[in-house]
Amino acid sequence: MNKHQAHDLKQMQSLPLEAKIRMTQQRIRQWYDHWEGEVYVSFSGGKDSTVLKHIVDSMYDDVPALFVNTGLEYPEIQRFAMAQKNVVTVRPEMRFDQVIKKHGYPVISKDVSMTAKTAKYNKNTYRFKKMQGTATDKNGNKSLFNMPKWSFLLEAPFDTSSKCCDVMKKRPIHKYEKATGRKPIIGTLADESRNRYISWLKNGCNAFEAKKPTSQPLSFWTEQDILHYIKKYKVPYCSVYGDIVPQDQPEQMRIEDFGVESGSDKLTTTGCDRTGCIFCMFGCHLEKEPNRFQRLKETHPKQYNYCIGGGEMVDGKWQPSKEGLGLGKVLDYIGVKYK
């Protein structure tokens, strides 16, 4: 049975920022007390986890923040994250180019890349049927999860995979949790993805009884809440975001649409709007130009040249080379501009 209903999120998102802060503090306190202080903040150096860390630090001085230095972050993010107090840094056992060579490139989405990888080498699978658009549900109707749009990936000169997240992030995190026994506090928002939304409906902010207990006390916040919190409390944040400034907005838009107090401006960043793995291609086909790679070319040409350039054919497969990751050929294949 779900802990929340669909309308609960919209109602909670419409609350004033100060009310959300109190609710978040309450959930953090419950999590801390339940695990007798054996908790940690999952800290990426991004704006959401920066706000989360700021709130936790205002309540406790003994909660470490775990930063996974994958080598895939903006250099500004790496420097910012490792310069903060109480930060513990861990690294993955493999480099990104090694993960690609072993498993494949991360394209379109996790589901699409893994489905295409399996279907490419085994046609007697449900995933192959999904790629062909012929998979059916339990009632014999065509499955809603069919993805014939991406069937051309079966002929791609490269493999696709979503293993990079498991290898580069989840494994070092799991290793840390196993060694310390600490339980995570994560700064994700429920409206960032369907999976996070469904998870919040099922478990709420504090998933005490989940297979992997996790606290997500910012779940009912919006991006506007994050930006307004940073501005209001003068929270230091990574320079890669640029400045936080008011965004032009149509007069008919109400501030209630943004989940912050009446009278506040809608805010935006003048720099990057996302700071995940800078070489990841998941979702880039949905972005308006300039997309993440076109912006990277202007802001970080060294990293751009490394990820776009290079690449070589080995045993009939396109993969990274000493010169670079070879993303240019992959982006060309899926029809994403990067120049």
Side-chain angles (χ1 to χ4, degrees):
M1 183 177 179
N2 286 346
K3 195 168 185 176
H4 291 291
Q5 300 300 314
H7 66 271
D8 292 335
L9 181 60
K10 182 174 284 292
Q11 182 180 27
M12 294 170 74
Q13 285 177 329
S14 69
L15 294 171
L17 179 59
E18 291 304 316
K20 292 180 179 179
I21 294 172
R22 290 193 297 271
M23 293 169 67
T24 291
Q25 290 172 330
Q26 180 185 42
R27 283 153 177 75
I28 292 170
R29 190 173 296 109
Q30 291 171 341
W31 192 254
Y32 183 95
D33 292 344
H34 181 85
W35 300 109
E36 298 180 341
E38 294 301 308
V39 300
Y40 74 92
V41 172
S42 179
F43 183 56
S44 69
K47 62 183 186 301
D48 296 354
S49 64
T50 294
V51 167
L52 174 62
K53 186 178 186 304
H54 187 266
I55 296 174
V56 173
D57 286 348
S58 72
M59 301 171 64
Y60 305 102
D61 59 9
D62 62 343
V63 177
L66 183 68
F67 174 63
V68 183
N69 187 0
T70 65
L72 303 176
E73 302 83 12
Y74 286 103
E76 294 92 334
I77 285 284
Q78 294 177 342
R79 291 193 293 268
F80 172 78
M82 293 189 286
Q84 307 309 304
K85 70 174 186 178
N86 293 338
V87 169
V88 177
T89 302
V90 296
R91 291 178 178 273
E93 296 179 354
M94 295 176 67
R95 300 190 312 270
F96 188 48
D97 62 314
Q98 294 173 325
V99 176
I100 293 176
K101 287 179 181 179
K102 183 175 181 178
H103 299 290
Y105 286 93
V107 298
I108 310 302
S109 71
K110 291 183 179 181
D111 188 24
V112 170
S113 59
M114 288 305 296
T115 300
K117 175 70 174 290
T118 301
K120 187 174 185 177
Y121 295 103
N122 192 339
K123 293 180 171 55
N124 296 315
T125 62
Y126 179 75
R127 286 181 172 178
F128 181 77
K129 292 180 179 179
K130 283 174 62 176
M131 295 300 290
Q132 298 298 307
T134 60
T136 57
D137 59 24
K138 61 182 180 181
N139 297 318
N141 300 316
K142 281 193 173 182
S143 173
L144 296 175
F145 300 102
N146 282 333
M147 49 184 73
K149 177 181 179 180
W150 306 113
S151 61
F152 69 91
L153 290 173
L154 299 180
E155 306 300 326
F158 52 84
D159 283 343
T160 62
S161 174
S162 65
K163 286 288 186 180
C164 53
C165 187
D166 291 337
V167 176
M168 304 294 290
K169 291 185 176 180
K170 292 182 180 180
R171 287 183 188 175
I173 289 174
H174 177 72
K175 187 175 181 180
Y176 172 82
E177 291 177 349
K178 188 175 181 180
T180 64
R182 292 182 179 271
K183 306 298 182 184
I185 309 175
I186 302 175
T188 53
L189 312 182
D191 63 1
E192 288 178 319
S193 72
R194 178 172 175 79
N195 286 340
R196 288 174 180 174
Y197 172 69
I198 292 174
S199 176
W200 182 80
L201 289 178
K202 181 179 179 181
N203 298 307
C205 294
N206 287 341
F208 292 108
E209 299 176 0
K211 184 177 180 181
K212 185 183 184 301
T214 303
S215 175
Q216 299 171 77
L218 298 181
S219 289
F220 50 90
W221 287 42
T222 67
E223 182 183 17
Q224 286 300 305
D225 295 318
I226 297 294
L227 296 177
H228 277 273
Y229 182 95
I230 291 173
K231 290 279 284 186
K232 183 171 185 177
Y233 294 99
K234 297 179 173 59
V235 180
Y237 63 95
C238 182
S239 62
V240 76
Y241 287 107
D243 296 325
I244 297 176
V245 298
Q247 177 179 313
D248 293 336
Q249 53 190 352
E251 291 183 3
Q252 67 268 26
M253 285 190 173
R254 301 167 302 136
I255 199 64
E256 287 79 3
D257 295 330
F258 309 122
V260 293
E261 290 96 329
S262 177
S264 298
D265 292 320
K266 184 179 182 184
L267 300 176
T268 188
T269 56
T270 59
C272 293
D273 57 1
R274 63 178 297 277
T275 56
C277 300
I278 58 177
F279 304 145
C280 179
M281 292 177 283
F282 285 151
C284 67
H285 62 293
L286 301 174
E287 295 177 356
K288 296 180 180 179
E289 294 187 55
N291 60 37
R292 69 188 70 168
F293 294 107
Q294 292 169 326
R295 292 195 300 270
L296 188 67
K297 182 180 180 181
E298 298 299 321
T299 61
H300 297 77
K302 181 180 178 181
Q303 285 78 9
Y304 173 86
N305 290 333
Y306 172 72
C307 75
I308 296 298
E312 59 185 353
M313 294 295 291
V314 178
D315 297 330
K317 292 181 187 178
W318 183 254
Q319 62 181 36
S321 64
K322 292 181 180 180
E323 291 73 30
L325 298 176
L327 266 59
K329 187 177 183 70
V330 179
L331 292 170
D332 283 335
Y333 192 84
I334 64 175
V336 172
K337 296 180 180 179
Y338 55 88
K339 296 180 180 179

